[in-house]
Amino acid sequence: MRALETAQEACRRLTGNACLELPHPDCCAVKKELHTTCPHCQVEYCSEDCREAAWLSHHQVLCLGSSRDDAEHPLNRMADFWRNVHYPPETCNIMLVARMVASIQQVPAQNPNELISRFHQFCRATVNEEEEIAHKLLGEQFKDQINTLCMMGNEAGLCKEQVQQWFSPEGFRSLVALIGTNGQGIGTSSLSVWVKNCEDLDLPEDEKRQLDAAIDRLYEDIDKLSGDFINCEGSGLYLLQSTCNHSCMPNAEITFPHNNSTLAVKALSNIKTGEEICISYLDECALERSRHSRHKILRENYLFNCNCSKCESQLDEADVTSEEEMEDEEDEIDESMG
C-alpha cells in the first residue's frame, strides 16, 4: 500500500496542472528508482523486496500475465462486477477474497490448514440470529450477485481442493461477510507525507510562512478539481485490530503512521489497566449523527446494536435517522415560510 506516484505526480493529477512544480522535492518519500514490475503481467511494485514477497505469498496464483488488461479475464470481471454492485469497493474489496484463496494455495501443500485457521479467527457470521440481522451485502436482493461472484471465482481457477468449502453457496457468503465485517480501509498519500516532511523542515520564519501559504493554495486547487479525497485507497485484514469492539465514545483510534499498510491503534485518552480498548467503526461524520442513524449503519455493516455509554444516554431520542430529522426540519421551515 505504499504510494507509487510521487507527491508532484499526485498534485499534477489532482489539480489538473501538468506543469506544477513542488518545492523541496527531497521531502517526497517515494523512491521511483526502486520501483519494479512483475516480468509476467507488469504490475508495479515499490521495490524488489515487495515484488518478491508478493510472488512468494500470492501473486503466482493471481498473476494475469498478458491478460492483465483483458476486461474479459475472470479476475478482472470479478473486480468490475463488485464495483458495480457494492460500495465502497475500497473498504470492502472482493479481491481480498482472491488474495486469501491465493495465499492458501501457495502455502506448502502439507500444511494449508494453518493459514485457513488464521482466517477462521475473524468474525465471519452472515447473520446475527439473536438480533435477526443480516449483513447488508448478503440480503436476498444480492443473492444472484453473490452466486455470480462465486462462479467467476471458479472460472478464475480459485476453487482448488484446499478451499473448496469456501466455494459452496454458504461458504462464499461467509467469505463476503468476513471481508464486509473485518475489512479495514487503508489510505496512503505521497502528498500527505510530503506536507508532513515540509512541516518538519527547519526554515527561516518568512520562508516557512511562504511554504505554508503555498501548501494551503495547493489544497484549495485540489479541492476545486478533485475534492478532499487525495488518498490511494485499499483494504486489508488485521487480526488484532479486528478484536477491538466499537464504541460511539472510543478511547482509541486506528491510524496508519507510516503511510503504508502498517496499522497502529492510538489511545485517545488515558486507558486504565483492565479497561477495554474500543475504537469507532464509524467515521467522524457518522459519529455525530443521531443514535438511530448510527445504529442503522452498525446493524447493516457489523450485525449488532451498540449499547455504549453514549447510546445509553440517548435512549430517549426519537427513532429517526439524521436524514429524517433534516427532512422534518426542512418541512417545518417550508410551512413557516408558507
Side-chain angles (χ1 to χ4, degrees), residues 283-319:
D283 60 31
E284 290 184 18
C285 182
L287 274 180
E288 297 304 315
R289 298 172 71 180
S290 70
R291 173 180 177 272
H292 189 66
S293 293
R294 300 195 307 271
H295 278 212
K296 183 175 185 291
I297 299 171
L298 291 169
R299 284 167 61 91
E300 289 180 344
N301 290 277
Y302 301 102
L303 308 178
F304 71 89
N305 288 312
C306 182
N307 296 309
C308 71
S309 57
K310 181 176 181 178
C311 289
E312 290 292 312
S313 69
Q314 297 174 339
L315 280 172
D316 294 333
E317 285 189 357
D319 281 342

Side-chain angles (χ1 to χ4, degrees), residues 80 90 93 107 109 120 154 168 170 178 183-184 202 212 256 262 317:
D80 189 56
E90 64 273 10
N93 197 328
V107 299
H120 282 176
N154 272 291
S168 66
E170 186 54 37
L178 187 153
Q184 169 65 50
D202 185 14
D212 289 343
F256 291 87
T262 301
E317 285 189 357

Side-chain angles (χ1 to χ4, degrees), residues 73-85 89 93-95 149 152:
H73 189 283
L75 280 177
N76 290 334
R77 288 173 53 218
M78 195 174 182
D80 189 56
F81 185 84
W82 178 266
R83 280 191 293 269
N84 291 323
V85 171
N93 197 328
I94 196 65
M95 295 312 291
L149 285 166
M152 289 176 176

Side-chain angles (χ1 to χ4, degrees), residues 45-248:
Y45 293 93
C46 64
S47 67
E48 181 60 27
D49 287 344
C50 187
R51 186 203 66 78
E52 184 176 350
W55 182 255
L56 293 176
S57 66
H58 62 271
H59 192 63
Q60 293 175 52
V61 173
L62 298 182
C63 182
L64 300 185
S66 60
S67 301
R68 178 190 173 189
D69 297 322
D70 180 4
E72 294 305 310
H73 189 283
L75 280 177
N76 290 334
R77 288 173 53 218
M78 195 174 182
D80 189 56
F81 185 84
W82 178 266
R83 280 191 293 269
N84 291 323
V85 171
H86 296 302
Y87 77 95
E90 64 273 10
T91 56
C92 190
N93 197 328
I94 196 65
M95 295 312 291
L96 273 176
V97 168
R99 182 168 292 195
M100 291 163 63
V101 171
S103 297
I104 291 170
Q105 291 181 11
Q106 284 196 204
V107 299
Q110 66 270 23
N111 190 23
N113 293 329
E114 182 179 344
L115 195 52
I116 293 174
S117 174
R118 190 185 310 169
F119 287 129
H120 282 176
Q121 293 177 51
F122 288 98
C123 169
R124 61 188 192 285
T126 58
V127 296
N128 181 328
E129 301 288 355
E130 182 179 344
E131 300 285 351
E132 297 183 347
I133 307 171
H135 195 285
K136 74 171 185 178
L137 301 179
L138 300 173
E140 188 62 30
Q141 69 271 35
F142 293 134
K143 182 177 180 180
D144 290 342
Q145 287 94 329
I146 295 296
N147 290 339
T148 299
L149 285 166
C150 185
M151 178 188 68
M152 289 176 176
N154 272 291
E155 292 176 357
L158 297 180
C159 181
K160 298 292 177 66
E161 180 180 354
Q162 306 99 312
V163 292
Q164 280 183 349
Q165 74 273 22
W166 281 351
F167 283 85
S168 66
E170 186 54 37
F172 199 79
R173 284 168 59 86
S174 74
L175 274 186
V176 174
L178 187 153
I179 61 171
T181 305
N182 298 280
Q184 169 65 50
I186 305 168
T188 63
S189 167
S190 54
L191 172 58
S192 297
V193 174
W194 175 81
V195 170
K196 181 181 183 302
N197 290 338
C198 284
E199 291 172 349
D200 294 337
L201 290 173
D202 185 14
L203 299 174
E205 194 60 36
D206 286 348
E207 191 174 339
K208 186 73 169 176
R209 280 197 298 268
Q210 291 175 10
L211 180 58
D212 289 343
I215 291 173
D216 288 341
R217 288 194 300 271
L218 179 62
Y219 276 118
E220 290 171 5
D221 291 342
I222 290 174
D223 189 58
K224 289 176 185 176
L225 182 70
S226 305
D228 59 1
F229 186 81
I230 63 172
N231 285 340
C232 304
E233 192 79 10
S235 55
L237 295 171
Y238 296 85
L239 188 56
L240 188 58
Q241 173 260 346
S242 74
T243 65
C244 292
N245 281 325
H246 164 83
S247 171
C248 297

Side-chain angles (χ1 to χ4, degrees), residues 251 269-277:
N251 57 13
S269 60
N270 291 331
I271 301 175
K272 300 176 182 177
T273 301
E275 181 183 353
E276 182 177 15
I277 297 173

